Amino acid sequence: MSLTMDCVAKLKILLLGESGVGKSSIILAFTKGDYQAQFPATIGVDYNHKIMDVNGLKVKLGIWDTAGQERYRTLTTSFYREAHGAILVYDVSEPKTLAKLNEWVEELQVYTTNKNIVCLVVGNKIDKDRAVPREHGQAFAQKHRMLFIESSAKTQEGIHLAFEELTQKIIETPGLWEKDTSASNIRVTEEEAREQGGSCYETTCSIK
């Protein structure tokens, strides 16, 4: 692959899960190293990005934060297309959020166009009183053949490791990303984003 390209690899990553599990906080912790105790609920879909170095490869992650509320589900189905990876988030202090991941898995299976998409289950908010044993999250991930990790956006424990492990697995998956390095995988125009009820922020990167 040529190093004259803006980035060696451009990957589309989805964050899925119920409202309030901390998806936006995870993205903020990963992209900015910051934390906010209160976040307004995501409406539709929001986009962020981060550039990583994975074994010498420059990788640009286009990270899509999908709204967890049921009323926005129909607005986000188009954003499943061409995703290379998905992070399914539940709150370790709220057992129902793990159970609801079954619905997100079903939705992902219906709308994704990459059948070998790499998925990671994240048990978030381990800084709070636990109501979901780690073993339950691991069992869910194993059942669906997904990676698993626990995290805290507040303390940033496990946040970078989650994205690093997901990205590494995507890079190691034959045929998942090599043929799709164009920016079209992760770019949505502002007009399209508004039509989907969300917002979009796109920048470029270069290899130094």
Side-chain angles (χ1 to χ4, degrees):
M1 232 168 261
S2 173
L3 295 182
T4 60
M5 297 176 65
D6 285 345
C7 292
V8 172
K10 296 181 180 180
L11 306 179
K12 180 176 180 179
I13 307 298
L14 305 176
L15 265 77
L16 310 174
E18 294 301 292
S19 179
V21 297
K23 300 187 300 295
S24 297
S25 294
I26 287 174
I27 293 174
L28 182 63
F30 176 61
T31 59
K32 305 295 185 182
D34 199 3
Y35 174 75
Q36 291 181 209
Q38 298 293 329
F39 251 108
T42 300
I43 299 176
V45 175
D46 283 334
Y47 171 83
N48 290 268
H49 80 276
K50 174 127 179 173
I51 300 171
M52 298 177 62
D53 186 288
V54 180
N55 296 336
L57 296 179
K58 290 289 185 182
V59 180
K60 179 178 179 180
L61 301 182
I63 306 169
W64 297 96
D65 180 10
T66 55
Q69 302 98 318
E70 184 69 30
R71 65 181 181 275
Y72 294 123
R73 292 286 182 86
T74 58
L75 298 177
T76 63
T77 54
S78 63
F79 288 91
Y80 284 92
R81 293 197 293 269
E82 297 184 357
H84 302 92
I87 297 177
L88 293 94
V89 185
Y90 70 94
D91 179 349
V92 300
S93 68
E94 293 289 347
K96 64 181 180 181
T97 61
L98 176 57
K100 293 287 283 186
L101 283 188
N102 285 296
E103 297 180 14
W104 289 97
V105 171
E106 291 175 1
E107 191 166 295
L108 181 63
Q109 292 172 341
V110 169
Y111 294 109
T112 185
T113 54
N114 282 327
K115 298 306 178 182
N116 55 347
I117 184 174
V118 178
C119 297
L120 168 70
V121 177
V122 173
N124 192 38
K125 302 190 182 182
I126 57 175
D127 54 281
K128 300 179 68 175
D129 292 335
R130 178 186 293 272
V132 181
R134 179 184 180 90
E135 293 75 18
H136 289 186
Q138 288 177 318
F140 179 92
Q142 291 173 357
K143 175 183 177 182
H144 296 285
R145 298 182 179 181
M146 298 177 178
L147 303 172
F148 175 78
I149 198 170
E150 289 189 330
S151 71
S152 167
K154 184 175 183 179
T155 67
Q156 298 198 28
E157 181 178 350
I159 296 297
H160 283 268
L161 183 59
F163 284 92
E164 288 168 2
E165 289 197 358
L166 181 69
T167 304
Q168 181 67 50
K169 185 64 174 178
I170 293 171
I171 296 299
E172 293 174 353
T173 302
L176 178 56
W177 66 277
E178 295 94 339
K179 64 181 179 180
D180 292 323
T181 56
S182 67
S184 63
N185 286 325
I186 58 176
R187 180 177 297 137
V188 173
T189 66
E190 292 183 4
E191 181 179 353
E192 291 171 330
R194 285 194 298 269
E195 290 177 355
Q196 295 293 334
S199 55
C200 176
Y201 307 93
E202 175 68 82
T203 62
T204 59
C205 62
S206 60
I207 297 175
K208 304 298 184 181

